Amino acid sequence: MREASLKSYLPFAKGTFQSLLSYRLNFFLYVIGELTTVFATYYIWLAVYKNSGSQTLHGFSLQDMFTYIFMCQVALNFVSNDASYEVANEVREGSIAMNLIRPIRYRMVILFRILGEVIYNVCFVGTPILLIVCGVRYFSHGIAPDLLGIAGFFLSAVMGFLIYFYFNFIFGLSAFYISNVWGMNMLKGAIINFLSGSMIPIQFFPGWAQDILAFMPFNSLIYTPVMIFLGKYQGMEAVKALLIQVFWVLLLGISGVLLWQKAIKKLTIQGG
Amino acid sequence: MKRFIRLYTKLSAQYLKTLLEYRTDFIIGLIAFFFIQGFGIAFLFMVFQNIPNLNGWSFYEVLFIYGFANLPRALDHLVTDNLWILAGRIIVRGEFDKYLLRPMNPLFYLFADRFQPDAFGELIVGILLVVTALTKLSLHIGLIEIVGFIIAVLAGAVIYTSIKLIFASLAFWMKRSQSILFVAYQMANFTKYPMTIYNKVINIFLTFIIPFAFTAFIPASWLLGRESFAYGVLATCGVAAVFFAGGYALWNAGLKSYESAGN
Amino acid sequence: MIEVRDIIKDFSSVKRQPGLMGSIKTLFSREYTHKRAVDHMSFSVDRGEVVGYIGPNGAGKSTTIKMMTGILVPTSGNIQVDGITPYEQRQKNAMNIGVVFGQRTQLWWDLPVRETFSILKEIYNVNDADYKKRMSFLGEVLELEPFLATPVRSLSLGQRMRADLAAAMIHNPKVLYLDEPTIGLDVVVKENVRQAIKQLNAEFNTTVILTTHDLSDIEELCKRIIIIDNGRKVYDGTLAEIKSRFGTMRRLELKVKNPYAFKAEPLRAKYGLSGDELSCEVVDGQLNIELDRNRIGIQEVINEVLAKTELVDMSLFETKIEEIIKKIYRNEVNME
C-alpha cells in the first residue's frame, strides 16, 4: 500500500470544520449550557475562599483558582473528541472494513476528522476564553500574560489531545471485543472528567489518590497544561511533565497501532 | 384517571421490553451515573476539607440540598424524557403525527411512550444522600415535614416538567429547540448548592424567571429550618401550578401550529 | 360521513438568512414565506364509499388527509367527519378513524406484532369479545398468523403493511385513511392488500379514503375518484365516467417512411374535431396518433396517412386510464 501524503487527509479535517460551521448557533447554545457548571463552580470557590480564612489553599490563591477552572475549559476544547464513538460505530456497523480498500490509513482519517472539530472548538471557544482570562488577569489584577506559559500551555494541550485521541481510538476498537461501548463511553467520560482534574485540582485530592494518579495518563490531559499556564510548573518541573506526556503519547500510540493490526487480522479472517 | 394509569402502565411495560433488549447498556449506564454522582459528592467533600462551613451551611446541610435536588429531577427525568426527543427530532421529522392520531391526550401519550430508567440512579443516590444527611443533622422530622417533603418533591418535579415543556414546545415553531432546552435545563446546576453563594441577579433569575430554585434549594431550606413552610412548600406548589399552566398553554398553542413534515 | 367545506391550508416558513448574524436574525425576525398547499377544497363522502384521492407529488393530498385526521389545522374552512371537527376534537375523532401511512408504520417497532394489538386494545378500549371477533376476522383476511410473534422490525414490507392495516381496523373505525398503502409492494402482495381492503369495506361498511400513485389500486378499489392538482380539485366523479368519456380513445402507433408528412389539423378541420379528439406526435421517428373512435373512423385516419407516406408497420391500443389521468393533471383535457 502506497503511503498517502498528509495532504490527502486534509479534506477530512476541512469537512468536519465546515459541517460544524453550519451548526453555529446550536453549537454556541450548547457551549453556554456547559459553562453553567463552570459558573456554579466559580461561586462555590468564591465562598470557599471567603470562609476558609486563608489566602491560599494547597498553593492556589483565589485568582489561581478562577484561572484554573476557566483554563480547564480551554484545555477541554483541545482534548474532547468523540473518536471512540466514531470508531465503535464503524466497527459495529461493519463499515470499518471499507477502510482497508482505501489507500489511506484509517487512524489518520479519524485523527484528521477529529482535528477539524478540535480546531473549530479551539478557534471559537477556547481562544476567546483564553483571551478573556488573560484580559481579566491583566486589567483587574495586574498580572501580565506569561508568553512562555501560554506557549507551554499550547504545546502541552496538543500532547493532551494526542493522548486522548489514542486513548479513544483504542477504546473504540474495543468494540471488536465488547458490545456495549455506548454505556462504557458514558462511564469513561465521567471518570476522565474527574480524574483529569477538570472539576477540582489534583492537589486537593487525598495524598493516596494523588500517588495513584501519578501513574495514570489522566493528569496529562487537562491538569498538566493548565498548571503550566499558571506557572505552577516551571523549568525542570515543566519539562518533566511534558516528558511524561510524551511517554503517554508513545505508549498509547504504539498500543493503538498494534491493536489496529490485530483488529485487521480479525476482520480479514472472520470477515468482521 | 384509572384509564390513564392503566394505559401508562401498559405503554411503559412495552417500552421496558424494548429496553431489556439493550439491558447491558442500561446497567453500564446506571453504573456510569453512580460514578458521576459519586464524583460530585467527592468534589463537595474535598472542598469542605478546607473550610468549616460554606457561608454558614455545614457539609451535611449542603449534602442534603444536593441530594434533595436529585429527587424532583429524577421523577421528571423518569417520566418526561421524550420532551428532549420532541425538541430534537420528533417534530422536525414529522414523527409527531402519531401522537395526534390516538384517542389520548397527546402530551400524556408522549410521556407514556417512553421512560428513562437512568432516573432510578438519580433517585437512589438522592434518597441515600437525603437520608444520610438527615441522620447526621438531627433535625426534627414530624408528620408535617414528611408530608411537606413529599409534596415539595412532587411540585419540584412538576416545575422541571413545566420548564422543559415550555422550551420543548418552541420546537412547534422552530422545528428544533433542543439546544435552547439544554441551556435552560442546565440552569438547574446552580440550585443544587446553597444559593446564598450567588449574587442577586442569579438568585432572582432562578427564582422568578426559570424557577429552578423551587426544585431544590428553597424547599430543602425549609426542611433545614431556614425557610418558612409558606415559602418552602406552598410557594413551591404555587410556582409549579403557574408554570405548568403556562407550559401547557404554550404546548396547546404549539399543537395548532404543528405543520407535520412536508413530503 | 365526511364533509369538507372550502378549506385552505397555508404553510409559512421563516426566511432564513446566511451567516452567523443571519441565523441570529432568523431567530427573531418574523419574515415569512407563504405557500398554499390546499386551495378552496370542498367535497363530501358518504358512508361506505371508497374514494380514491389522487394527484401528482406535492398536489396537497397528504395535507388534506392530515387535516381530515386532525393532525393539521386548516387555515380556513371547515371539516366534519361523522359530525366531529377533527382538529378541534382530536381524541373523539381518533376513536372513529383508522390511519395507515404506507411509508411510516404505526406499529411498535421493537415488539412482536401481537403486542401492538394488545396495546391498541387498551388505547381504544375494545372489549374482549369484540377484540376476539375482529382479531380472528382480520387475522384471516390479512393472513397475520404466520408472523404474529415476529418483531415488527424484522417483517417484510408486505407483512408490515398487512399488520398496519389490521392495527388501523382493530377498533372498527368508521373511516379508514390509507396513504399509499401499496407503495413498494410487489404485484402479488399488492393484490393481497387490495383484496383485504375490499373485504374490510364490504364486511364493516367502512368508509375508505385512499391516496395512491398506483392507478391499478384505484381501478380495483374505487368507484369514485377525486383528482387534485396544485391544491385544487380538478375532477370529482366516478371512474366509469372517465372511462366512458375516454373509453373510445384509441392510440395508433405507426412506422412510416416520413413521420412528419401527416398533420392532424386538416382532418380536425374536415370533421370538426377538438384537440382532445384527434392529436399526433412523433416519438423516436414513430408517428403516434390519438383519436376518439366515436368521432372519426380509424380507417379515415389510416387512409390519410397512406395518402401522405408509405406505411411499414402499425399497432392499435386502447388508451390506458393512467394516460388519461396524467392528461387531467396536466390540464390537457377539459373536464367541464
Side-chain angles (χ1 to χ4, degrees):
Chain A
M1 200 188 283
R2 212 169 60 89
E3 183 58 33
S5 73
L6 225 50
K7 229 173 89 187
S8 43
Y9 296 108
L10 275 178
F12 291 102
K14 238 172 105 183
T16 357
F17 190 88
Q18 275 167 348
S19 65
L20 277 169
L21 267 179
S22 56
Y23 289 113
R24 267 170 313 220
L25 189 62
N26 282 331
F27 175 82
F28 284 113
L29 287 171
Y30 280 109
V31 170
I32 292 168
E34 298 287 358
L35 284 179
T36 55
T37 325
V38 185
F39 279 103
T41 317
Y42 171 93
Y43 282 101
I44 290 175
W45 285 121
L46 197 65
V48 166
Y49 276 85
K50 210 176 76 193
N51 290 294
S52 71
S54 63
Q55 291 294 310
T56 59
L57 299 172
H58 297 277
F60 279 75
S61 69
L62 181 60
Q63 284 327 306
D64 288 342
M65 192 54 86
F66 288 165
T67 308
Y68 184 89
I69 58 174
F70 284 100
M71 284 311 291
C72 277
Q73 294 304 309
V74 182
L76 267 172
N77 276 302
F78 278 87
V79 169
S80 344
N81 64 68
D82 51 7
S84 60
Y85 189 74
E86 253 184 77
V87 175
N89 248 359
E90 287 199 33
V91 170
R92 223 184 27 207
E93 287 167 11
S95 54
I96 199 160
M98 287 301 294
N99 293 287
L100 299 179
I101 60 168
R102 293 206 202 133
I104 43 180
R105 282 168 190 260
Y106 179 61
R107 201 169 58 248
M108 296 294 277
V109 171
I110 295 288
L111 179 70
F112 273 77
R113 255 194 245 159
I114 297 301
L115 211 54
E117 184 188 336
V118 167
I119 291 172
Y120 185 88
N121 287 340
V122 170
C123 285
F124 294 111
V125 185
T127 310
I129 297 179
L130 176 84
L131 291 176
I132 292 169
V133 168
C134 288
V136 169
R137 276 163 73 86
Y138 180 70
F139 291 110
S140 319
H141 309 286
I143 307 169
D146 167 15
L147 289 179
L148 195 64
I150 294 174
F153 171 80
F154 272 93
L155 180 66
S156 178
V158 168
M159 301 280 215
F161 160 72
L162 287 172
I163 294 170
Y164 196 50
F165 167 74
Y166 281 116
F167 187 87
N168 270 339
F169 186 70
I170 293 171
F171 203 86
L173 287 181
S174 68
F176 273 110
Y177 308 96
I178 51 172
S179 54
N180 301 100
V181 178
W182 179 85
M184 298 294 281
N185 227 351
M186 238 180 98
L187 189 58
K188 182 199 72 178
I191 292 174
I192 284 176
N193 192 32
F194 191 69
L195 298 186
S196 64
S198 66
M199 273 171 87
I200 184 168
I202 309 275
Q203 246 93 336
F204 284 71
F205 284 47
W208 55 268
Q210 290 188 39
D211 292 343
I212 297 172
L213 284 175
F215 292 96
M216 294 192 166
F218 307 117
N219 282 355
S220 292
L221 298 176
I222 306 285
Y223 186 66
T224 303
V226 177
M227 291 299 270
I228 290 176
F229 179 87
L230 275 171
K232 302 255 171 217
Y233 285 170
Q234 278 189 331
M236 280 318 288
E237 210 180 352
V239 172
K240 193 183 134 203
L242 283 167
L243 284 176
I244 292 175
Q245 285 188 306
V246 172
F247 166 77
W248 283 113
V249 173
L250 290 176
L251 185 73
L252 290 168
I254 292 168
S255 314
V257 174
L258 291 177
L259 196 67
W260 170 241
Q261 280 165 354
K262 228 180 121 194
I264 289 178
K265 239 183 223 158
K266 190 173 147 76
L267 203 62
T268 45
I269 294 169
Q270 303 179 354
Chain B
M1 193 62 202
K2 224 175 97 191
R3 179 173 138 77
F4 274 124
I5 292 169
R6 219 184 48 225
L7 270 176
Y8 190 84
T9 330
K10 186 89 189 170
L11 287 163
S12 312
Q14 302 309 330
Y15 186 68
L16 190 66
K17 282 180 199 163
T18 308
L19 274 179
L20 282 178
E21 303 210 356
Y22 309 98
R23 60 180 153 261
T24 323
D25 265 329
F26 160 59
I27 291 166
I28 298 172
L30 207 63
I31 294 171
F33 196 82
F34 282 122
F35 268 87
I36 294 172
Q37 291 285 321
F39 290 141
I41 296 154
F43 169 75
L44 281 181
F45 184 79
M46 289 181 202
V47 163
F48 266 92
Q49 295 304 301
N50 304 289
I51 46 172
N53 60 61
L54 193 66
N55 281 12
W57 301 83
S58 75
F59 176 67
Y60 285 106
E61 283 179 314
V62 175
L63 205 62
F64 181 77
I65 298 169
Y66 194 90
F68 188 102
N70 266 308
L71 300 176
R73 192 183 175 95
L75 290 182
D76 164 73
H77 196 183
L78 183 69
V79 178
T80 74
D81 204 45
N82 232 359
L83 285 175
W84 286 103
I85 306 184
L86 181 85
R89 64 155 199 261
I90 288 179
I91 288 179
V92 78
R93 291 198 196 157
E95 289 165 11
F96 192 69
D97 290 6
K98 79 166 193 184
Y99 297 102
L100 295 170
L101 287 173
R102 301 287 183 211
M104 284 185 274
N105 180 305
L107 187 62
F108 169 77
Y109 186 16
L110 186 80
F111 289 166
D113 204 26
R114 182 190 176 90
F115 70 94
Q116 184 47 272
D118 283 5
F120 289 117
E122 265 166 328
L123 207 58
I124 294 166
V125 172
I127 291 169
L128 283 177
L129 289 181
V130 164
V131 170
T132 313
L134 280 180
T135 51
K136 297 280 181 183
L137 284 169
S138 65
L139 293 168
H140 170 74
I141 300 294
L143 189 64
I144 296 175
E145 279 75 18
I146 292 172
V147 174
F149 172 78
I150 292 170
I151 290 174
V153 167
L154 291 175
V158 172
I159 294 174
Y160 259 102
T161 303
S162 309
I163 293 169
K164 273 164 75 179
L165 186 60
I166 288 168
F167 287 94
S169 294
L170 293 180
F172 283 113
W173 294 276
M174 301 167 58
K175 309 290 176 217
R176 273 180 214 276
S177 65
Q178 208 179 38
S179 50
I180 296 182
L181 173 58
F182 179 72
V183 175
Y185 192 76
Q186 285 288 96
M187 295 296 165
N189 275 329
F190 287 103
T191 60
K192 57 188 179 190
Y193 305 113
M195 291 185 61
T196 54
I197 63 173
Y198 306 121
N199 64 28
K200 264 214 175 74
V201 178
I202 294 178
N203 270 291
I204 289 171
F205 184 79
L206 290 168
T207 309
F208 298 108
I209 298 176
I210 300 185
F212 279 122
F214 288 99
T215 66
F217 176 65
I218 292 170
S221 300
W222 164 66
L223 281 156
L224 294 171
R226 302 196 182 211
E227 280 293 354
S228 63
F229 177 79
Y231 193 51
V233 180
L234 298 182
T236 302
C237 293
V239 168
V242 169
F243 272 78
F244 189 77
Y248 195 65
L250 193 67
W251 162 267
N252 273 331
L255 290 186
K256 287 210 178 74
S257 301
Y258 175 60
E259 292 198 336
S260 193
N263 292 332
Chain C
M1 179 59 61
I2 300 177
E3 289 287 338
V4 174
R5 287 257 167 281
D6 204 29
I7 49 168
I8 293 177
K9 180 68 186 173
D10 288 333
F11 287 115
S12 49
S13 53
V14 178
K15 263 189 200 156
R16 298 212 169 269
Q17 289 167 350
L20 176 60
M21 281 317 289
S23 43
I24 292 172
K25 264 190 213 152
T26 307
L27 256 186
F28 300 103
S29 89
R30 298 288 94 186
E31 240 185 291
Y32 289 107
T33 48
H34 292 278
K35 186 185 169 272
R36 183 152 292 187
V38 175
D39 196 4
H40 294 285
M41 175 77 65
S42 299
F43 57 83
S44 62
V45 178
D46 290 333
R47 186 173 172 103
E49 263 193 292
V50 181
V51 176
Y53 195 61
I54 56 179
N57 280 332
K61 285 175 302 197
S62 292
T63 306
T64 320
I65 298 257
K66 280 173 180 169
M67 287 189 279
M68 290 194 277
T69 53
I71 293 174
L72 292 177
V73 183
T75 308
S76 73
N78 183 288
I79 300 176
Q80 297 275 305
V81 177
D82 197 31
I84 296 168
T85 307
Y87 40 88
E88 280 168 8
Q89 289 176 282
R90 222 177 250 121
Q91 296 177 47
K92 208 169 163 200
N93 179 62
M95 273 296 194
N96 287 338
I97 64 166
V99 183
V100 176
F101 290 122
Q103 318 209 36
R104 192 179 280 158
T105 182
Q106 311 276 307
L107 309 168
W108 270 252
W109 190 246
D110 285 308
L111 300 177
V113 177
R114 182 178 285 124
E115 299 280 357
T116 292
F117 294 114
S118 79
I119 303 171
L120 292 174
K121 175 179 183 293
E122 293 292 331
I123 290 178
Y124 290 96
N125 253 333
V126 182
N127 68 42
D128 290 344
D130 285 349
Y131 179 72
K132 238 183 189 163
K133 208 173 67 194
R134 273 175 223 144
M135 271 312 276
S136 78
F137 176 78
L138 293 168
E140 198 176 310
V141 173
L142 296 159
E143 296 165 35
L144 303 176
E145 199 50 48
F147 54 84
L148 269 179
T150 315
V152 174
R153 57 166 190 266
S154 11
L155 296 184
S156 73
L157 201 55
Q159 291 172 330
R160 211 207 72 198
M161 189 53 67
R162 274 141 63 198
D164 255 315
L165 264 176
M169 291 294 296
I170 195 72
H171 55 294
N172 193 16
K174 292 176 183 157
V175 186
L176 184 60
Y177 298 97
L178 305 173
D179 195 3
E180 301 278 357
T182 58
I183 199 164
L185 303 181
D186 68 47
V187 184
V188 181
V189 181
K190 256 184 198 173
E191 190 47 39
N192 271 337
V193 169
R194 284 178 198 147
Q195 286 309 322
I197 295 171
K198 254 189 197 168
Q199 287 189 48
L200 294 174
N201 170 252
E203 171 79 16
F204 298 113
N205 200 24
T206 313
T207 310
V208 179
I209 308 288
L210 169 85
T211 78
T212 183
H213 276 102
D214 187 338
L215 287 159
S216 42
D217 287 351
I218 301 277
E219 287 205 79
E220 222 176 294
L221 292 169
C222 312
K223 286 200 192 71
R224 174 177 167 201
I225 56 174
I226 296 173
I227 303 178
I228 71 164
D229 192 22
N230 280 324
R232 287 169 190 272
K233 188 165 86 172
V234 291
Y235 176 76
D236 183 353
T238 60
L239 197 59
E241 191 191 324
I242 293 190
K243 274 192 174 160
S244 76
R245 276 186 59 180
F246 299 97
T248 52
M249 293 297 291
R250 292 293 181 272
R251 178 186 179 85
L252 268 173
E253 295 188 3
L254 306 163
K255 277 203 181 101
V256 290
K257 271 266 163 67
N258 177 12
Y260 296 97
F262 174 84
K263 292 276 178 275
E265 286 79 15
L267 275 179
R268 272 192 215 144
K270 186 171 165 194
Y271 293 93
L273 305 176
S274 70
D276 293 345
E277 289 162 340
L278 179 72
S279 63
C280 72
E281 56 177 351
V282 178
V283 179
D284 296 333
Q286 179 178 288
L287 175 63
N288 295 341
I289 303 174
E290 304 251 4
L291 61 98
D292 186 337
R293 205 172 42 120
N294 278 354
R295 305 279 290 134
I296 182 171
I298 294 171
Q299 196 181 344
E300 274 87 6
V301 177
I302 292 177
N303 283 344
E304 179 70 16
V305 173
L306 290 175
K308 294 281 195 276
T309 180
E310 206 173 303
L311 184 64
V312 181
D313 193 5
M314 69 169 258
S315 12
L316 177 66
F317 304 94
E318 271 188 33
T319 306
K320 282 188 217 132
I321 187 87
E322 269 99 337
E323 302 285 325
I324 299 168
I325 285 174
K326 266 183 206 151
K327 284 190 170 190
I328 297 175
Y329 290 167
R330 288 189 236 126
N331 283 322
E332 283 175 18
V333 290
N334 189 4
M335 292 309 300
E336 298 312 316

